[in-house]
Amino acid sequence: MKYLNSFAPIFCAAVMGLSVMTSCEGGDLYNILAPDWLSERADSIANSKKQGGDEELEGLMEDVYTIGAVDFSSGWWAQFSKYYPIPEGATWNAQFNLNINPNASNTYKNFALIITSDADRGGAGYVEYGAIRFDNQPSGNSEWGTYIDRSLVESTLTFNTDTDAGVEKLGGKVTLTVDRSQGGLYVKMTNGTVTKIYNQKSPLVNLNEDPSNTDIRAFLVVEGSYINFLSTSIEPIGGCTSAEDKNPLSMTLSGVPSEVLVGTELSEAMANVTALVQFEQGVSKTVTAENLIFKAIPNYEEIGQKTLFVLYNKTFKGANCDEPIIASKTFSVVKELSAFTQTVVVPNPTTLGALDCSSPW
């Protein structure tokens, strides 16, 4: 966590401009939690070199962003890729680095491909054909959905239970193909070590409300893993994300306590604060307290309502940005905490039970 010292001039200028700044109260369009660029890019390259099946594809567009929390904490149905529309007769190819938690003890801690109607997730007209996960477990739920025939799945790696060893074999650079060119639905996932294929020769039922629209959509969802997306043959809804550095535009604060006990150090009081920072090109990442700059006014040491100003001054890649961004939130310094106050408590992880959420289907 940082304090305002040498950044005081920047902070003052930012506060003066606060009235003309817009905040981002809505969620990230793609629920992308992007990591520090340089270190994660190096990890991605290293992971891709671990696998020997780097398939060369032509006509791919750069689409560089991250899906999932890089500490492997993303639960099921929490972090998603962009939407990739696939017209009838077309083929979608994509490449990305799949990062598997080295401590993962479940086979389903990887990613799933979701095939849907041409509608936003959960919105009007949204219907799922089904899901195909990278792991293959015939006795489990590695594929599901009304329109997915599990008997059409083949894989070079099969797990008998979701606690079998070997989930790490799914990591590395993955090439994904969703092919509608032959009238059916052909899906191939491979990292050169593991290859999984779904081959449905019968045409897909059109689930769109408009029968003249024969497009489907595909997106990826992770669980206990994260993806560094690299490239795509079809432009996603919202456009591709380039590898160029990006300046921050706004941020939304979370974890600011409503009350702080008088005498508590600001660093302790705001230790659990995070900021979802929105960057150019629709990319975002979650920034923790140690990378934010805090100032509470007026007279933080005294009892009363305070305004917390939070400043962030880094680009997507971690360089100093052109113009720092600032967000604010109110809280109270009190003599005694209320019974239902959101207190700042850092739990001991050894006292917490393990969260183990399988796919709900």
Side-chain angles (χ1 to χ4, degrees):
M1 186 183 300
K2 303 176 184 177
Y3 292 95
L4 292 168
N5 38 61
S6 59
F7 288 100
I10 298 174
F11 170 75
C12 293
V15 172
M16 291 178 66
L18 185 61
S19 61
V20 298
M21 295 182 65
T22 58
S23 62
C24 181
E25 296 297 334
D28 176 26
L29 178 59
Y30 308 114
N31 288 306
I32 301 162
L33 292 176
D36 176 81
W37 175 261
L38 295 178
S39 62
E40 293 305 326
R41 187 66 170 173
D43 288 344
S44 293
I45 294 172
N47 284 337
S48 66
K49 289 181 178 179
K50 291 179 183 178
Q51 308 294 348
D54 188 359
E55 188 173 344
E56 294 295 331
L57 298 174
E58 295 182 355
L60 294 182
M61 298 174 284
E62 184 179 67
D63 196 16
V64 183
Y65 64 99
T66 297
I67 310 155
V70 299
D71 63 357
F72 304 105
S73 63
S74 295
W76 173 252
W77 212 248
Q79 305 297 335
F80 308 92
S81 75
K82 302 174 185 180
Y83 296 112
Y84 294 87
I86 309 172
E88 188 174 24
T91 299
W92 175 46
N93 292 308
Q95 290 188 324
F96 50 86
N97 283 309
L98 174 62
N99 299 274
I100 300 292
N101 187 342
N103 298 316
S105 58
N106 299 101
T107 60
Y108 53 78
K109 297 296 180 72
N110 54 93
F111 82 93
L113 167 72
I114 314 297
I115 305 292
T116 75
S117 58
D118 189 20
D120 289 349
R121 187 171 44 253
Y126 174 81
V127 185
E128 292 175 3
Y129 288 91
I132 302 173
R133 238 176 24 220
F134 194 15
D135 64 289
N136 183 48
Q137 186 192 338
S139 63
N141 61 345
S142 53
E143 308 84 34
W144 62 89
T146 304
Y147 300 91
I148 297 295
D149 183 350
R150 300 191 70 189
S151 68
L152 303 178
V153 170
E154 296 181 0
S155 178
T156 59
L157 176 64
T158 297
F159 298 108
N160 293 317
T161 73
D162 63 20
T163 57
D164 285 0
V167 65
E168 72 281 353
K169 296 178 182 179
L170 302 176
K173 188 172 183 179
V174 175
T175 298
L176 172 65
T177 297
V178 181
D179 187 350
R180 302 184 68 195
S181 64
Q182 302 302 312
L185 177 65
Y186 175 86
V187 175
K188 179 181 178 181
M189 308 171 177
T190 183
N191 63 1
T193 298
V194 178
T195 299
K196 183 172 182 177
I197 291 174
Y198 176 82
N199 190 5
Q200 175 183 317
K201 296 182 179 180
S202 60
L204 288 173
V205 176
N206 189 352
L207 299 180
N208 293 320
E209 292 182 336
D210 178 1
S212 66
N213 179 10
T214 58
D215 287 4
I216 62 172
R217 289 193 193 185
F219 63 88
L220 308 181
V221 57
V222 296
E223 179 177 3
S225 61
Y226 69 93
I227 285 174
N228 293 121
F229 208 94
L230 300 174
S231 56
T232 176
S233 63
I234 290 179
E235 184 172 352
I237 295 173
C240 293
T241 303
S242 77
E244 296 178 355
D245 205 355
K246 305 160 187 65
N247 282 302
L249 302 176
S250 63
M251 62 180 167
T252 303
L253 302 177
S254 299
V256 177
S258 58
E259 293 181 350
V260 172
L261 190 65
V262 65
T264 304
E265 292 289 336
L266 188 60
S267 59
E268 180 184 355
M270 303 303 160
N272 288 342
V273 173
T274 60
L276 180 62
V277 180
Q278 307 290 333
F279 294 84
E280 297 168 321
Q281 298 188 38
V283 176
S284 69
K285 69 177 176 181
T286 298
V287 176
T288 54
E290 59 268 22
N291 296 306
L292 299 169
I293 302 169
F294 293 87
K295 178 67 176 179
I297 60 173
N299 303 323
Y300 172 70
E301 295 77 13
E302 298 179 0
I303 292 174
Q305 188 177 70
K306 313 298 173 185
T307 299
L308 178 71
F309 290 97
V310 182
L311 185 143
Y312 184 69
N313 68 326
K314 297 295 181 182
T315 65
F316 178 69
K317 295 185 183 182
N320 289 331
C321 64
D322 294 341
E323 184 176 345
I325 58 172
I326 191 168
S328 64
K329 208 156 190 176
T330 59
F331 68 97
S332 295
V333 175
V334 298
K335 185 176 181 180
E336 184 175 344
L337 295 176
S338 303
F340 299 102
T341 296
Q342 176 190 349
T343 57
V344 180
V345 178
V346 180
N348 184 342
T350 62
T351 65
L352 298 178
L355 295 177
D356 191 13
C357 302
S358 297
S359 304
W361 289 271

